[in-house]
Amino acid sequence: MATTEGQPSRDIRYKLDAGKPLTLEDGVRLYESRDIHTLGELANNVRERLHGRMACYNINLHINYTNYCVLRCKFCSFYRPYPKGAAGFPGASGHGHSESQDLADSAHDNAGYELSIDEIVAQARGAYARGATEVHITGGLHPALPFTYYTDMCNAIRETCPHIHIKAFTAIEIIHFARISKPRLSIGEILTHLWDAGLGSLPGGGAEIFDDRVHDEAFKTKVGEAEWFEVHSTAHELGIFTNATMLYGHVETPAERIKHLIKLREHQKESLRSRKAHFNCVVPLSFVPEGSALSHLPGPSGLDDLKTLAISRLMCPNIPHIKAFWIMQTPKLAQVSLNWGVDDIDGTVVYYDITKREGGGTTRQELTVEKLRRLIVEAGCKPVERDSLYRPVIRDENTWCVEGQPWSVTYSPSPA
Ligand code: V47
């Protein structure tokens, strides 16, 4: 038994050593325990069993194509209401940016925006030319853009940047696309169209906390867990790999977090057993209250962040990777977490509009490769550049390729 004062229980250690799944009660006890050293040791044991001392990062660019959203989630400071009477297509509506504008500056002036496909492609092209392997694309649920906007976006990126991995659209966006498609398409058809247009995988967003009470309190108008899992099951059946997030530190309890993680573990069990793809990683997202309707809440402390990352590792041993997204946990804590179960600190990011803490209120939020590697080395780990599917990237001064793939990409590194 773990006590609030003492060590996590011996039976938890035995279970982990024997490869047995931890229960809801075990998870809650881990949260209650003050012994973060033992928690770290247990999580690190699982991490080392899976990955040794390797810790990965990637060279990516986040693109948030619009902040207009039909939802009003209380934890979100990103969405903007869509102006009444707007025409609904970038360029036509006048809400898009001109290509010459610095998107970082224009996107953080609190106004609503939607990017044209040309603007998105220009950003992807720039990143690809500088050696990025991934574009991570998400946005609000735009009330007026047609589904062809999203397939055209993928097609245009694929044409311009043949080997960049397009990780795009959370499960919530996929459901929105199905609802707006004309004629109406199923989730499977939406995913197939996007896949044919060049989509590589799905990010894990929109999961929040799988619990009806939390759902009703913090994101009532968003679809619930059944729909989120339907998208990920369908993706896995089609052979599309996905990630899974958990947004913690708002109105949920520790038990509700643990139940969320157990649901991910159970889903993964089924995907590993019967589907063509599965979750690659769990991404616990630390709630950033500033600017949201829940800004009166303090948000998670550093200790809570560290415990949540470690407990995610322990609750979901069948999901290969645990990612500390440094934008939310901060680079300092992401670094510490590399010895508390985490093996991935995500990437260079460059621009991020959903939360703006690391950018001091702006969307410009970047860690250079040198900084990412230094954080990893200082933590006593071996830095490994990965692609979006966790395959090692082999890079020299101006080419990169993915282990096992017959192609390579030539690029010009940006000046330091
Ligand atoms: O779905 C929104 C979250 C998510 C806030 O798959 C917030 O590798 C904290 O899914 N504080 C989008 N979080 C981001 C996302 C993501 C990010 C990095 C990597 C991956 C991956 C996925 O951001 C949303 C929502 O859960 N979010 N507002 C906030 N105030």
Side-chain angles (χ1 to χ4, degrees):
M1 293 270 293
T3 67
T4 47
E5 296 297 316
Q7 291 195 343
S9 65
R10 275 212 209 113
D11 55 305
I12 288 182
R13 189 184 287 273
Y14 290 144
K15 276 188 191 172
L16 290 167
D17 287 347
K20 292 204 171 119
L22 299 187
T23 61
L24 169 62
E25 199 187 31
D26 295 331
V28 171
R29 284 177 178 166
L30 288 170
Y31 264 116
E32 284 169 353
S33 170
R34 276 179 37 204
D35 183 3
I36 57 157
H37 304 290
T38 304
L39 174 62
E41 184 209 337
L42 295 175
N44 191 54
N45 288 346
V46 177
R47 177 220 196 281
E48 290 207 0
R49 196 178 70 228
L50 292 168
H51 308 293
R53 294 303 298 162
M54 284 196 308
C56 47
Y57 65 93
N58 73 340
I59 302 187
N60 63 355
L61 171 76
H62 279 246
I63 302 176
N64 300 125
Y65 56 88
T66 184
N67 59 357
Y68 290 127
C69 191
V70 298
L71 300 178
R72 300 287 178 265
C73 300
K74 283 191 187 164
F75 58 76
C76 182
S77 57
F78 171 60
Y79 72 80
R80 295 291 175 272
Y82 190 62
K84 284 202 178 87
F89 212 89
S93 70
H95 295 289
H97 302 283
S98 79
E99 238 181 277
S100 58
Q101 251 178 308
D102 183 336
L103 296 168
D105 288 339
S106 53
H108 71 74
D109 59 4
N110 281 334
Y113 68 88
E114 61 201 17
L115 303 184
S116 70
I117 288 170
D118 284 350
E119 288 164 338
I120 293 167
V121 170
Q123 289 191 44
R125 189 195 291 118
Y128 194 55
R130 290 187 297 276
T133 65
E134 171 189 281
V135 275
H136 178 148
I137 305 176
T138 53
L141 307 189
H142 193 292
L145 292 171
F147 179 51
T148 48
Y149 168 83
Y150 306 97
T151 48
D152 288 352
M153 181 197 300
C154 292
N155 272 316
I157 295 172
R158 175 60 55 249
E159 209 168 284
T160 318
C161 318
H163 296 295
I164 207 157
H165 183 102
I166 306 174
K167 184 174 94 184
F169 313 128
T170 64
I172 309 305
E173 289 160 275
I174 300 293
I175 291 162
H176 176 69
F177 303 163
R179 285 180 175 168
I180 57 150
S181 56
K182 288 184 190 134
R184 193 160 172 162
L185 300 172
S186 67
I187 300 293
E189 287 165 335
I190 291 286
L191 288 170
T192 304
H193 280 291
L194 290 168
W195 179 258
D196 290 345
L199 179 80
S201 62
L202 296 185
E208 324 314 0
I209 290 284
F210 300 133
D211 181 88
D212 290 346
R213 183 196 71 78
V214 180
H215 175 268
D216 288 355
E217 211 171 314
F219 45 99
K220 200 174 171 51
T221 54
K222 193 176 252 186
V223 294
E225 69 182 80
E227 289 86 352
W228 190 94
F229 277 112
E230 187 194 346
V231 171
H232 286 264
S233 312
T234 310
H236 294 172
E237 273 157 16
L238 292 169
I240 303 173
F241 286 87
T242 72
N243 296 340
T245 57
M246 172 172 78
L247 177 66
Y248 66 93
H250 43 97
V251 301
E252 84 294 352
T253 63
E256 286 159 348
R257 295 182 197 176
I258 300 293
K259 285 187 211 158
H260 179 99
L261 293 168
I262 291 176
K263 286 175 187 174
L264 293 179
R265 182 177 78 198
E266 292 308 305
H267 186 275
Q268 179 78 339
K269 204 163 138 191
E270 193 50 40
S271 287
L272 290 170
R273 197 186 67 78
S274 66
R275 300 177 184 128
K276 291 189 207 141
H278 54 259
F279 294 129
N280 273 330
C281 65
V282 182
V283 195
L285 298 171
S286 181
F287 172 52
V288 177
E290 290 83 17
S292 76
L294 299 177
S295 62
H296 55 284
L297 298 177
S301 64
L303 194 58
D304 195 10
D305 282 332
L306 200 56
K307 280 185 169 183
T308 302
L309 290 162
I311 291 170
S312 299
R313 178 63 292 165
L314 293 174
M315 294 307 299
C316 299
N318 62 353
I319 302 184
H321 302 278
I322 303 293
K323 179 188 287 190
F325 184 46
W326 62 263
I327 293 275
M328 285 170 194
Q329 273 100 10
T330 77
K332 289 180 181 181
L333 198 117
Q335 181 189 41
V336 173
S337 72
L338 290 170
N339 283 293
W340 261 262
V342 166
D343 64 287
D344 179 12
I345 55 172
D346 200 72
T348 45
V349 181
V350 190
Y351 295 113
Y352 196 69
D353 199 22
I354 298 175
T355 59
K356 303 192 188 71
R357 190 167 50 192
E358 285 303 303
T362 76
T363 58
R364 177 85 200 191
Q365 304 186 71
E366 179 173 18
L367 279 183
T368 60
V369 171
E370 291 67 31
K371 281 186 188 156
L372 286 163
R373 292 180 70 94
R374 185 152 51 83
L375 291 172
I376 292 171
V377 170
E378 232 184 66
C381 298
K382 180 173 177 267
V384 175
E385 184 186 343
R386 62 160 177 87
D387 77 347
S388 311
L389 302 176
Y390 288 86
R391 300 172 299 191
V393 171
I394 302 157
R395 187 179 288 275
D396 65 24
E397 269 166 28
N398 51 15
T399 59
W400 66 267
C401 62
V402 172
E403 205 172 87
Q405 298 301 304
W407 45 264
S408 67
V409 177
T410 304
Y411 70 101
S412 313
S414 37

